[in-house]
Amino acid sequence: MAREFTRVGVVGLGTMGAGIVEVFARNGVDVVAVEVSEPALARGRATLARSTDRAVAKGKLAETDRDALHSRVDFQVGLEALRAVDLVVEAVPEHLDLKRRLFAELDRICRPDTILATNTSSLSVTDIAVATDRPQQVVGLHFFNPAPVMKLVEVVRTVVTAADVVDDVEALCARLGKVDVTISDRAGFIANALLFGYLNQAVGMVEARYATREDIDLAMKLGCGLPMGPLALLDLIGLDTAYEILNTMYRHGGRDRRHAPTPLIRQMVTAGLLGRKSGRGFYTYDKPGSAKVVPDGQTPAPTRTVPDSAPVTTVGVVGAGALAAGLVEVFARAGYPVLSVDGDTGSSAGISDAVRTALDEDVARGALDAADHEATLARITWSATLEQLADVDLVVEAVAEESSVKQALFARLDEVCKPGVLLATTTSSLPVIEVAMATQRPADVLGLHFPDPAARRPLVEVVRTIRTSAEATATATAVCAALGRTTVVCGDRAGFVVDALLLPYLNDAVRMLEAGYASVDDIDHAMKLGCGYPTGPFEVLDAIGLDVALAGQRAVYREQREPGLAPAPLLEHLVTAGYLGHRSGRGFRDHSGR
Ligand code: 3HC
């Protein structure tokens, strides 16, 4: 029979500790909430009150239930208050010495049968367990921020944890309404090991002024459907916590330089810019502890002051694949006359069918009415020739993803198109500057990266090279706005913003699977339930295509030469074996029955 947990202790009432107290108390468990001093206790009490008051204000919690919740929490200074509890969860700062000292004390104070759990994010649970005389009763219970909201708990079992202790805490997680994954003791466990390389890399982009904080966050929200961008998430986690986690993962997780904290994080911590909890981090908040962002010196003006953009009235789309079809549809639906040019065969049968089918589907879904359907088709000129692009104002290229093919096309466009035309490539993995330099007008060439599927995603990455003019960037941004798209502007680096941040994370997930640390399902689960991702990494890989992900990851690796970015051998092997994901019926999962 599973052990009954009627009274538990939580030590450390920072962001995570206060959240864990709330989780227990909401689910009918009495909690002794412990801090080292009265001021720290008051801060913890205030954090809990803020969270429950917000739930009451939103009508999610009745006032009486809030009062009952608070009555279950006994706030105390000092560990002696934990003598009679069934379980202690520790959530103090991420310092091994501190945690080891604390566990030795808890071992001395608590009843012999009490289970001791650490909420450490990245330190070794084993190192902490052996500071006690009961290592078989020590586990990791890793909650995610905000603890009352995120469904996942990682249960970390060391080589000495007793099986019944694991069973008991798993049953407790279920009682708390959480979903657990049970894993062994490795730096960063599942979710942090996959999350923090990505967060650190995003900070590197800010530090290098590669893109603005708003654009990086927007890119990941709109390009990948994440609930929040990486910089806003770091503000939620706390920059001090993030620094410690990265530091530990670097030192104990294989000295991958991608986990060495970006210097900007240390500077921000030293300057007291810790994120939401201090009222300022990457963003500024209306007060410490608040989630409300207020404008500051880095906030872009509501209407960006951009140089005059050139008017665009007609558009040429070159290419015959799915992306070209999506672009023809997007521009025509937005009211632009479109010339569709299939550079290779001169026949537009395939692309015309694809666009008609997509428009029919839009009508069937009620997203387009019949009259607009006809008007959209009437705006498209099929089987146009390159020569017919002489008078368009914008050419968007979506031909094969090969440098020589694109360069040859841009050299031809340079001959054909009138001066001042904006020439855009949709490449996802080649340097835009290579294409631009095939023309005599590199100032008018840029990248327009439409994350897949082009017709549905709300984002466009506008990629400016070191030769792109400000006017060309402004024109591209204005055209995308007319398409109803949100743009982010970035430099010409492999993967731009979205793929540069997404692909290494996917690659890391494959490496974790390859190492036998966790299963496809557990990894997908952890990212969805721990970080609110709409899809897990293996679902994403099967959807975008393993070959596409591999090509992108190779491009990122080729450019950065960072050993940790080398494509995972398992990914290479699956692609070689023809397991490409949904498209081939099998990838990380079997889709043949669908
Ligand atoms: N505390 C308690 N509840 C909170 C909260 C907080 N800090 N922030 C938001 N909530 C609640 C809201 O009250 C709301 O509840 P309701 O649905 O009952 O009304 C719900 O969460 C949704 O909040 P909002 O509508 O205000 O805002 P969003 O829909 O944007 O959701 C979010 C906010 C839940 C934080 C969402 O953006 C999200 O899932 N972000 C990703 C968070 C994440 O990745 N966490 C993991 C970080 S890594 C980690 O914790 C590991 C550690 O070791 C560092």
Side-chain angles (χ1 to χ4, degrees):
M1 238 199 36
R3 188 187 309 233
E4 262 299 299
F5 294 96
T6 49
R7 194 170 171 79
V8 303
V10 175
V11 184
L13 304 179
T15 313
M16 285 310 294
I20 296 169
V21 169
E22 183 177 339
V23 171
F24 281 119
R26 263 188 189 236
N27 289 283
V29 183
D30 288 337
V31 189
V32 182
V34 170
E35 260 295 355
V36 282
S37 65
E38 286 295 346
L41 200 64
R43 278 195 296 274
R45 200 194 293 263
T47 305
L48 179 66
R50 220 174 15 244
S51 181
T52 53
D53 286 351
R54 184 171 49 187
V56 170
K58 280 184 154 187
K60 304 276 176 179
L61 188 68
E63 283 189 32
T64 46
D65 290 339
R66 177 197 53 197
D67 296 345
L69 185 160
H70 283 272
S71 72
R72 279 183 214 113
V73 186
D74 177 12
F75 286 96
Q76 294 286 346
V77 172
L79 300 177
E80 297 294 332
L82 298 169
R83 280 189 186 286
V85 298
D86 306 311
L87 165 83
V88 178
V89 182
E90 159 279 312
V92 304
E94 284 288 284
H95 298 295
L96 184 60
D97 288 349
L98 174 66
K99 293 199 191 246
R100 281 173 57 86
R101 273 200 311 277
L102 174 68
F103 270 69
E105 273 291 281
L106 290 172
D107 192 28
R108 191 182 57 73
I109 292 167
C110 295
R111 279 191 336 240
D113 63 331
T114 302
I115 293 176
L116 304 180
T118 170
N119 179 55
T120 182
S121 317
S122 54
L123 294 168
S124 159
V125 180
T126 316
D127 276 349
I128 297 168
V130 295
T132 72
D133 285 333
R134 58 175 99 183
Q136 72 287 353
Q137 279 164 238
V138 179
V139 280
L141 262 188
H142 184 221
F143 289 80
F144 289 80
N145 192 353
V149 183
M150 309 315 286
K151 281 268 172 243
L152 183 75
V153 177
E154 289 175 319
V155 174
V156 185
R157 166 185 62 199
T158 73
V159 287
V160 282
T161 314
D164 63 312
V165 168
V166 174
D167 293 345
D168 291 343
V169 296
E170 285 177 347
L172 175 65
C173 290
R175 182 178 158 198
L176 298 175
K178 300 289 183 193
V179 177
D180 66 275
V181 291
T182 300
I183 39 182
S184 57
D185 187 15
R186 192 173 120 157
F189 316 126
I190 298 179
N192 281 354
L194 297 182
L195 182 68
F196 274 79
Y198 148 73
L199 297 179
N200 200 31
Q201 197 188 339
V203 181
M205 284 182 173
V206 176
E207 195 181 63
R209 297 179 193 279
Y210 177 62
T212 64
R213 62 183 183 186
E214 281 84 2
D215 277 1
I216 293 170
D217 277 350
L218 257 178
M220 297 316 284
K221 279 174 68 171
L222 300 184
C224 301
L226 303 188
M228 60 206 303
L231 305 164
L233 179 55
L234 277 162
D235 277 358
L236 172 73
I237 292 170
L239 276 290
D240 49 347
T241 306
Y243 181 84
E244 293 303 336
I245 293 173
L246 283 165
N247 214 14
T248 311
M249 284 184 40
Y250 174 73
R251 283 192 282 127
H252 301 291
R255 299 206 174 250
D256 184 340
R257 278 201 306 243
R258 291 181 309 142
H259 294 142
T262 302
L264 181 60
I265 301 180
R266 185 187 42 73
Q267 291 160 31
M268 290 175 71
V269 172
T270 310
L273 309 179
L274 306 182
R276 284 187 191 183
K277 63 184 158 189
S278 68
R280 208 173 136 195
F282 285 101
Y283 296 90
T284 303
Y285 300 86
D286 67 342
K287 57 177 185 288
S290 166
K292 185 166 177 244
V293 174
V294 294
D296 61 17
Q298 289 177 53
T299 306
T303 47
R304 288 189 196 188
T305 42
V306 287
D308 289 345
S309 56
V312 169
T313 50
T314 49
V315 177
V317 175
V318 186
L323 176 57
L327 293 173
V328 168
E329 181 194 345
V330 165
F331 280 105
R333 276 198 65 174
Y336 289 99
V338 182
L339 278 72
S340 167
V341 183
D342 177 347
D344 299 329
T345 64
S347 149
S348 62
I351 188 168
S352 143
D353 284 352
V355 172
R356 282 171 206 278
T357 307
L359 291 174
D360 289 347
E361 282 170 8
D362 288 344
V363 173
R365 295 192 282 123
L368 185 71
D369 63 35
D372 284 344
H373 179 280
E374 288 316 304
T376 302
L377 281 176
R379 280 192 282 273
I380 306 169
T381 304
W382 303 106
S383 302
T385 60
L386 277 180
E387 285 64 31
Q388 283 175 275
L389 299 181
D391 291 322
V392 299
D393 307 305
L394 162 66
V395 180
V396 185
E397 160 281 310
V399 300
E401 193 67 355
E402 274 176 45
S403 198
S404 58
V405 174
K406 292 194 191 282
Q407 285 178 358
L409 173 66
F410 272 74
R412 284 284 291 128
L413 291 173
D414 195 23
E415 290 165 9
V416 167
C417 295
K418 65 186 179 191
V421 171
L422 184 64
L423 300 177
T425 170
T426 58
T427 183
S428 56
S429 58
L430 300 169
V432 177
I433 190 67
E434 279 182 10
V435 178
M437 295 311 289
T439 73
Q440 302 299 314
R441 47 174 114 179
D444 299 335
V445 181
L446 46 62
L448 282 184
H449 184 233
F450 292 78
D452 194 41
R456 308 268 177 271
R457 288 269 183 206
L459 180 80
V460 183
E461 289 172 301
V462 176
V463 186
R464 53 168 187 228
T465 74
I466 45 171
R467 299 285 298 267
T468 306
S469 70
E471 189 193 38
T473 309
T475 301
T477 307
V479 170
C480 292
L483 298 178
R485 301 300 166 107
T486 302
T487 49
V488 298
V489 178
C490 63
D492 183 19
R493 276 170 32 174
F496 314 128
V497 177
V498 175
D499 284 356
L501 292 175
L502 175 72
L503 296 175
Y505 145 75
L506 297 177
N507 194 49
D508 285 346
V510 181
R511 281 184 186 280
M512 184 178 276
L513 177 71
E514 198 169 25
Y517 181 61
S519 66
V520 165
D521 286 346
D522 278 353
I523 296 172
D524 274 355
H525 244 72
M527 297 316 290
K528 289 198 286 188
L529 300 180
C531 303
Y533 283 24
T535 38
F538 296 107
E539 288 169 330
V540 175
L541 281 160
D542 279 2
I544 63 177
L546 275 58
D547 50 341
V548 175
L550 178 61
Q553 182 65 19
R554 278 191 183 136
V556 171
Y557 177 53
R558 241 191 337 262
E559 187 170 270
Q560 297 190 25
R561 314 282 171 97
E562 185 62 58
L565 292 173
L570 176 62
L571 185 60
E572 307 241 21
H573 294 171
L574 289 168
V575 172
T576 308
Y579 296 158
L580 308 181
H582 290 284
R583 203 159 19 100
S584 71
R586 183 168 166 183
F588 285 95
R589 291 187 172 90
D590 186 355
H591 306 282
S592 54
R594 288 189 193 165

